[in-house]
Amino acid sequence: MEKLGTENEFMREACDLAIHSVNVGGGPFGCVITNPDGKIIGKGHNMVTINNDPTQHAEIVAIRAACQEISDYSLKDCTLYTSCEPCPMCLSAIYWARIQNVYYANDRNDAKEIGFDDEFIYEEFKKDVKDRSVKLKRVESDKALEGFGMWRDKTDKLHY
């Protein structure tokens, strides 16, 4: 993909993707990911309503594209630029991708003002598991432990 240059240029690109997203029926969010050389290796815009997939936030789409571009699940040396502060799901994906630097334009309060309020999720994380609105129930299974045992004993596993 192309090389742009400054943080402002990358942020402009992310915001252009957000505008494009609105124009094609998605939410107002866009994201680009750059490698250490300043080359854009992943782009994404919100496609939740376009593809009927609640996980297709701009950051997730961009992370998937960047990982495919570099053939690696780790983006540890990359930088993410997003038109809005990442939601809890996207922030988790950023951590899992090992991205160290994130730049954002709008914040969660700006998003809340236009109907994207994730505060309930932040509040849910503070609660004990038994008190959350999504009920999590453990079902113990030897089959589940079998898979974990296989992973534990695997000598050629790729740690991630």
Side-chain angles (χ1 to χ4, degrees), residues 80-101:
L80 184 144
Y81 299 84
T82 181
S83 63
C84 188
E85 179 181 356
C87 74
M89 176 182 68
C90 293
L91 188 58
S92 295
I94 289 164
Y95 275 95
W96 281 114
R98 295 179 175 61
I99 296 170
Q100 298 288 312
N101 295 295

Side-chain angles (χ1 to χ4, degrees), residues 30-155:
C31 179
V32 297
I33 298 173
T34 62
N35 70 9
D37 296 328
K39 178 183 174 193
I40 294 176
I41 59 169
K43 294 182 181 184
H45 67 83
N46 181 284
M47 300 195 321
V48 170
T49 56
I50 295 168
N51 291 333
N52 295 316
D53 182 345
T55 68
Q56 286 197 330
H57 289 198
E59 296 90 341
I60 303 291
V61 173
I63 288 169
R64 289 174 180 161
C67 288
Q68 289 299 307
E69 177 72 17
I70 67 169
S71 299
D72 198 340
Y73 58 86
S74 175
L75 301 172
K76 66 183 171 82
D77 296 321
C78 299
T79 301
L80 184 144
Y81 299 84
T82 181
S83 63
C84 188
E85 179 181 356
C87 74
M89 176 182 68
C90 293
L91 188 58
S92 295
I94 289 164
Y95 275 95
W96 281 114
R98 295 179 175 61
I99 296 170
Q100 298 288 312
N101 295 295
V102 175
Y103 295 87
Y104 65 92
N106 297 315
D107 69 15
R108 69 173 85 167
N109 295 313
D110 298 320
K112 181 179 180 177
E113 286 181 22
I114 63 165
F116 294 92
D117 186 5
D118 296 326
E119 194 58 37
F120 74 98
I121 298 173
Y122 292 105
E123 292 303 316
E124 284 286 298
F125 289 151
K126 295 177 187 176
K127 295 177 183 177
D128 190 270
V129 172
K130 67 179 176 20
D131 297 325
R132 293 182 183 164
S133 61
V134 173
K135 301 304 175 203
L136 300 173
K137 298 173 184 131
R138 184 169 183 185
V139 178
E140 295 192 37
S141 170
D142 290 340
K143 241 345 174 189
L145 290 174
E146 181 182 338
F148 273 25
M150 289 172 64
W151 177 258
R152 180 194 60 232
D153 299 339
K154 188 173 174 61
T155 58

